[in-house]
């Protein structure tokens, strides 16, 4: 039996046949599902009796991302590599999310910058006014933290909660909640008036900064369109979830050093 994968880049679809992997005695019924990584989609077909370890080994051949660097998200973080795809209850057209960073990227992040790079970075940073000092955001922050804001925690990093992140507000002061549907690769931005369902692969970037007088909370901007004018601003985001939100949307695991 040959395994195959299909990689999608926008409207272009490229098919490639993968080398056969070692067979097991009973692979079980085939399961076809989608893997989302770095805003790219892979169609994967595997036997339902294959383990998460088998899947990660196969993913490494597809993406070149080493197995130890992989984090799989399907109804939460998949931790047990001995579980089978059947145990995970993967069904036809299910979506699984992969987050991870190549070792070369980690090395680049931790490479000491040159003196000129530090000077350039310092110069550009000093010119930009902090978000919490900008007029657009001051108006919102002056109203104070919402009474129903979730507890914020400075200096710690948590995975996404199983419930929506709520108790936040948008630039008009309206209540906002963020719901992550990882199996659908979508973010639901809910307000009192409506819920907007956004495909996470369409989000250009996510920025955030701690609120000066309340560093356990952040201002977060989610760019929904091609320009910064399409930035959707959310205020009083609990600091412990900021990295997890960025990881989920941008599809990259940011190592916790």
């Amino acid at each position: 039996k040959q395994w195959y994968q299909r990689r999608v880049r926008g409207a272009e679809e490229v098919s490639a046949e993968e080398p056969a992997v070692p067979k097991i005695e009973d692979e079980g019924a085939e399961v076809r599902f989608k893997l989302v990584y770095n805003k790219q989609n892979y169609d994967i077909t595997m036997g339902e009796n294959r383990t998460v370890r088998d899947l990660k080994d196969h993913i490494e051949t597809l993406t070149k991302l080493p197995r130890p660097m992989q984090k799989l998200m399907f109804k939460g973080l998949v931790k047990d590599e001995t579980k089978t795809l059947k145990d995970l209850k993967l069904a036809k057209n299910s979506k699984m999310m992969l987050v991870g960073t190549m070792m070369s990227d980690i090395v680049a992040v931790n490479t000491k910058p040159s003196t000129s790079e530090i000077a350039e970075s310092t110069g550009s940073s000093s010119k930009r006014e902090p978000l919490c000092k900008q007029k657009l955001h001051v108006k919102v922050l002056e109203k104070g933290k919402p009474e129903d804001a979730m507890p914020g925690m400075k200096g710690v990093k948590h995975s996404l909660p199983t419930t929506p992140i709520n108790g936040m507000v948008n630039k008009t002061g309206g209540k906002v909640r963020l719901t992550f549907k990882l199996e659908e690769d979508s973010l639901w931005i809910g307000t009192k008036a409506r819920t907007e369902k956004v495909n996470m692969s369409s989000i250009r970037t996510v920025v955030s900064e701690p609120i000066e007088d309340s560093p356990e909370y952040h201002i977060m901007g989610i760019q929904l369109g091609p320009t910064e004018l399409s930035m959707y601003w959310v205020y009083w985001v609990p600091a412990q979830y900021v990295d997890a939100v960025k990881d989920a949307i941008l599809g990259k695991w940011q190592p916790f050093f």
Side-chain angles (χ1 to χ4, degrees), residues 36-148:
V36 182
Y37 172 59
N38 257 357
K39 298 189 177 181
Q40 308 255 344
N41 292 331
Y42 296 84
D43 284 351
I44 295 180
T45 301
M46 294 182 66
E48 65 179 3
N49 292 336
R50 287 283 181 177
T51 64
V52 172
R53 173 76 179 251
D54 293 333
L55 173 59
K56 286 187 172 183
D57 286 339
H58 185 53
I59 288 172
E60 185 170 346
T61 68
L62 300 182
T63 65
K64 310 306 179 188
L65 180 67
R67 182 173 57 79
M69 307 300 292
Q70 298 176 23
K71 285 191 175 183
L72 293 173
M73 305 288 292
F74 181 72
K75 299 179 180 179
L77 179 64
V78 180
K79 296 180 180 179
D80 189 350
E81 292 191 350
T82 65
K83 282 190 173 182
T84 65
L85 303 189
K86 185 176 182 180
D87 293 333
L88 297 181
K89 293 181 170 53
L90 276 167
K92 184 178 179 181
N93 295 327
S94 291
K95 277 195 177 182
M96 177 178 284
M97 184 172 180
L98 168 67
V99 291
T101 301
M102 295 290 188
M103 187 59 68
S104 57
D105 294 334
I106 294 176
V107 171
V109 167
N110 289 279
T111 300
K112 186 176 180 180
S114 65
T115 304
S116 60
E117 289 174 329
I118 293 174
E120 183 180 346
S121 175
T122 303
S124 60
S125 297
S126 62
K127 294 176 184 177
R128 188 175 68 80
E129 192 175 26
L131 292 176
C132 60
K133 297 292 186 181
Q134 295 175 19
K135 186 176 180 180
L136 169 68
H137 308 304
V138 168
K139 288 182 179 179
V140 181
L141 297 177
E142 283 180 340
K143 297 176 182 178
K145 184 180 71 173
E147 291 183 0
D148 60 345

Side-chain angles (χ1 to χ4, degrees), residues 149-205:
M150 297 177 68
M153 300 175 66
K154 177 186 175 183
V156 297
K157 298 180 181 181
H158 289 178
S159 57
L160 289 175
T162 55
T163 56
I165 303 175
N166 53 37
M168 304 170 294
V169 297
N170 56 25
K171 68 180 182 181
T172 65
K175 293 294 180 68
V176 176
R177 64 185 177 278
L178 300 179
T179 305
F180 289 85
K181 299 287 185 178
L182 299 179
E183 66 277 12
E184 301 174 9
D185 192 33
S186 65
L187 167 65
W188 293 11
I189 302 175
T191 63
K192 187 176 182 180
R194 57 175 293 187
T195 296
E196 184 175 358
K197 300 178 181 180
V198 182
N199 190 309
M200 288 195 282
S201 63
S202 69
I203 296 174
R204 300 302 181 94
T205 192

Side-chain angles (χ1 to χ4, degrees), residues 226-242:
T227 70
E228 291 188 2
L229 294 175
S230 62
M231 197 74 81
Y232 188 94
W233 293 104
V234 183
Y235 304 83
W236 305 102
V237 180
Q240 67 270 26
Y241 297 130
V242 168

Side-chain angles (χ1 to χ4, degrees), residues 218-231:
H218 278 227
I219 300 172
M220 178 175 287
I222 303 172
Q223 189 172 327
L224 303 179
T227 70
E228 291 188 2
L229 294 175
S230 62
M231 197 74 81

